[in-house]
């Protein structure tokens, strides 16, 4: 007779452990008391599980976020490491990671993939310290691969008894030897399957060029929110767009001359965005109406410049904010843009990175756009659109020259900003980019 102690199942004759059983060991004892179990018959030694199950709750939501959609990156039975991201919660502003609190095995998903969850929702269970069963899949493939081996081995074993039964007494005289065929035996291969007959097309009916299908994909929360805000801007603001063109010759020459020294000293590349953001900050200080916004029946003027920069990500357009641009140097702006761009591509932008903003700059030129009319990012009152740099013939001092030119567009809310302020602001941006020395001299 086998006995169960707090250590596990052992063979008869071994002294029991006198230590009282813990609650988890009592559960394990009750689970394994069946004497007909294979563990009882063969006397295996088993260690009880720790039963350390942790439940993962919804991560902390920002104040402006109430709910989101869950997308699981792991399945039940997968091994996870501590702080490993096992899922993502997509909100209308950002994506929040769901991290494992400890290393172990994912034992249960308490909500389905795509479900809408809110604060305090229980998401999943983790068996802490357990090991997943993923490595067991490799040995299981070995019997399947070895399955064809016994088939050919059965042929000689079946042929051997038949050969022994055909043996008779040894003849004293040699008979006529059997004829041995000189030509190789002809083997008739199995007939090949006939190709499917082409579909019959009625006379005068055109054959379709190929299979045409369509499928539905649920819109993400971020895409829904983007569409709502863009339509809200069209329905709310009296948007008007003014245009100008910028000769990029001087800023390109400045960049080409100092780009290596700039990278060596500051650790980031010198781009064109820093010049446009610095020029925009200068124009916003001169034209405070472009930096203001409407709040009910009041106009709010701001004495600081926080510029939102539109960044395209796989999940949609986001606009992280670079704050206090009026106090930044070119190097500070480039470092800030590099950090925000990397966070946006990695999906690590927080709500705080996108809150606020007094003005927006969108650079469609990186995708080759030559001309466009951007939409205001409410509650802001204006947005600057940059476009591709293309060589065009222009008149310079009475002569036609080929210069690298860029069209720029300023969309503004005509409820607050008149044409004079909008055109003056855009001309200030144009002059500052064409002659960067004016920014350095503050003229």
């Amino acid at each position: 007779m086998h006995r169960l102690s707090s250590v596990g199942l052992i063979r008869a004759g071994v002294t029991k452990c006198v230590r009282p059983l813990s609650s988890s060991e009592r559960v394990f004892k009750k689970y394994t008391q069946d004497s007909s179990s294979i563990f009882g018959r063969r006397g295996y030694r088993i260690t009880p599980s720790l039963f350390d199950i942790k439940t993962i709750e919804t991560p902390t939501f920002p104040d402006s976020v109430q709910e989101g959609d869950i997308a699981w990156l792991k399945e039940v039975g997968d091994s996870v490491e501590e702080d490993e991201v096992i899922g993502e919660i997509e909100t209308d502003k950002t994506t929040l990671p769901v991290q494992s609190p400890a290393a172990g095995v994912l034992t249960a998903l308490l909500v389905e993939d795509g479900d809408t969850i809110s604060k305090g929702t229980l998401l999943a269970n983790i068996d802490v310290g357990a090991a997943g069963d993923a490595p067991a899949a490799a040995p299981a493939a070995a019997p399947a691969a070895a399955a064809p081996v016994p088939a050919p081995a059965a042929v000689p074993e079946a042929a051997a008894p038949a050969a022994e039964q055909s043996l008779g007494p040894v003849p004293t005289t040699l008979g006529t030897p059997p004829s041995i065929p000189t030509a190789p035996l002809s083997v008739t291969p199995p007939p090949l399957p006939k190709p499917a007959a082409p579909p019959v097309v009625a006379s005068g009916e055109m054959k379709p060029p190929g299979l045409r299908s369509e499928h539905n994909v649920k819109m993400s929360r971020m895409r829904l929110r983007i569409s709502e805000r863009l339509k809200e801007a069209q329905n709310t603001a009296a948007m008007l767009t003014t245009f100008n063109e910028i000769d990029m010759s001087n800023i390109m020459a400045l960049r080409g001359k100092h780009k290596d020294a700039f990278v060596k000293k500051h650790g980031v590349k010198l781009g064109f965005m820093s010049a446009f953001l610095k020029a925009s900050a200068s124009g916003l200080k001169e034209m405070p109406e472009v930096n203001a916004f409407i709040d009910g029946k009041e106009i709010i003027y701001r004495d600081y410049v926080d510029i939102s920069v539109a960044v395209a990500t796989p999940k949609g357009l986001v606009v992280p904010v670079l704050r206090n641009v009026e106090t930044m140097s070119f190097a500070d702006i480039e470092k800030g843009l590099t950090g925000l761009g990397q966070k946006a591509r990695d999906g690590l932008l927080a709500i705080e990175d996108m809150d606020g903003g007094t003005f927006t700059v969108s650079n469609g030129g990186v995708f080759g756009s030559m001309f466009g009319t951007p939409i205001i990012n409410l509650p802001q009152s204006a947005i600057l659109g940059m476009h591709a740099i293309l060589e065009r013939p222009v008149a310079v001092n009475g002569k036609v020259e080929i210069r690298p030119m860029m069209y720029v567009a300023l969309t503004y809310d005509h409820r607050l900003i008149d044409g004079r302020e909008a055109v003056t602001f855009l001309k200030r941006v144009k002059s500052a980019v064409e002659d960067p020395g004016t920014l350095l001299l503050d003229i």
Side-chain angles (χ1 to χ4, degrees):
M1 178 179 180
H2 302 296
R3 304 181 181 224
L4 179 68
S5 70
S6 61
V7 178
L9 292 171
I10 59 175
R11 294 189 181 276
V14 180
T15 304
K16 292 184 179 180
C17 179
V18 296
R19 178 178 58 84
L21 298 179
S22 64
S23 58
S24 62
E25 290 169 340
R26 285 196 297 270
V27 174
F28 181 77
K29 178 178 179 179
K30 181 178 179 181
Y31 179 79
T32 57
Q33 274 183 341
D34 186 4
S35 60
S36 63
S37 170
I38 184 174
F39 303 107
R41 293 198 303 269
R42 300 190 179 183
Y44 289 124
R45 180 184 179 93
I46 307 173
T47 301
S49 172
L50 296 178
F51 297 99
D52 191 2
I53 303 296
K54 286 192 175 182
T55 301
I56 303 176
E57 295 186 6
T58 305
T60 304
F61 279 7
D63 294 337
S64 58
V65 175
Q66 301 299 326
E67 60 182 16
D69 294 340
I70 183 71
W72 291 114
L73 305 179
K74 293 286 187 177
E75 298 179 353
V76 174
D78 288 350
S79 297
V80 296
E81 300 296 332
E82 185 176 359
D83 295 331
E84 181 179 359
V85 177
I86 63 174
E88 294 178 342
I89 302 175
E90 184 180 21
T91 70
D92 55 3
K93 294 183 178 181
T94 187
T95 299
L96 303 175
V98 178
Q99 296 178 317
S100 172
V105 174
L106 186 62
T107 58
L109 299 179
L110 306 181
V111 292
E112 297 293 333
D113 190 84
D115 284 357
T116 299
I117 61 175
S118 57
K119 298 179 180 179
T121 303
L122 303 181
L123 303 179
N125 289 338
I126 296 289
D127 187 357
V128 178
D133 53 0
V149 176
V155 176
E157 292 177 2
E164 293 176 358
Q165 293 176 4
S166 64
L167 293 178
V170 180
T172 57
T173 59
L174 297 177
T176 304
S179 60
I180 300 175
T182 58
L185 296 177
S186 61
V187 179
T188 303
L192 297 176
K194 296 182 180 181
V200 178
V201 182
S203 176
E205 182 181 355
M206 296 184 62
K207 185 178 179 180
L211 180 63
R212 289 155 47 89
S213 63
E214 56 186 40
H215 61 282
N216 299 338
V217 177
K218 180 182 177 181
M219 290 182 68
S220 65
R221 280 183 166 269
M222 184 176 292
R223 176 52 57 187
L224 285 171
R225 184 57 176 165
I226 290 172
S227 62
E228 291 173 359
R229 286 182 57 81
L230 292 178
K231 194 58 183 175
E232 180 187 2
Q234 286 185 325
N235 295 337
T236 302
M239 290 189 290
L240 187 63
T241 305
T242 184
F243 303 93
N244 214 318
E245 61 179 0
I246 298 177
D247 186 349
M248 300 292 290
S249 300
N250 291 336
I251 191 66
M252 291 179 68
L254 179 68
R255 178 176 179 268
K257 181 179 180 180
H258 299 291
K259 62 179 181 179
D260 294 336
F262 191 89
V263 172
K264 184 177 180 180
K265 181 175 181 179
H266 301 290
V268 291
K269 294 182 179 180
L270 176 61
F272 298 127
M273 286 295 293
S274 53
F276 276 90
L277 264 62
K278 193 66 178 175
S280 298
S282 176
L284 293 172
K285 297 298 288 184
E286 291 185 10
M287 295 293 162
E289 295 84 1
V290 184
N291 200 43
F293 71 99
I294 296 176
D295 183 15
K297 295 184 178 181
E298 296 181 345
I299 300 176
I300 309 299
Y301 290 91
R302 286 160 302 193
D303 56 1
Y304 56 89
V305 176
D306 292 349
I307 297 182
S308 304
V309 181
V311 178
T313 69
K315 295 184 178 181
L317 186 70
V318 294
V319 280
V321 180
L322 199 62
R323 307 188 188 279
N324 299 319
V325 179
E326 77 280 6
T327 64
M328 289 185 171
S329 64
F330 277 55
D332 295 333
I333 295 175
E334 291 293 349
K335 290 177 182 178
L337 292 176
T338 300
L340 291 176
Q342 187 62 45
K343 290 176 69 175
R345 287 187 291 271
D346 295 341
L348 301 177
L349 283 176
I351 299 297
E352 295 76 12
D353 295 324
M354 295 179 285
D355 276 346
T358 64
F359 183 75
T360 297
V361 175
S362 176
N363 185 8
V366 296
F367 304 109
S369 173
M370 182 179 177
F371 217 76
T373 55
I375 298 178
I376 295 173
N377 179 23
L378 291 180
Q380 299 172 13
S381 299
I383 178 174
L384 176 68
M386 300 167 54
H387 300 93
I389 302 173
L390 299 175
E391 291 187 342
R392 298 199 307 270
V394 294
V396 180
N397 297 326
K399 298 180 180 180
V400 177
E401 297 185 7
I402 304 299
R403 294 289 183 92
M405 305 296 293
M406 175 193 289
Y407 287 117
V408 290
L410 179 73
T411 298
Y412 58 97
D413 189 350
H414 211 347
R415 298 178 303 164
L416 173 61
I417 305 170
D418 292 330
R420 181 182 69 88
E421 287 81 9
V423 173
T424 303
F425 169 83
L426 198 56
K427 287 179 63 178
R428 173 56 182 165
V429 173
K430 170 184 169 68
S431 62
V433 174
E434 288 184 340
D435 186 5
T438 58
L439 295 174
L440 301 176
L441 300 176
D442 193 20
I443 58 175

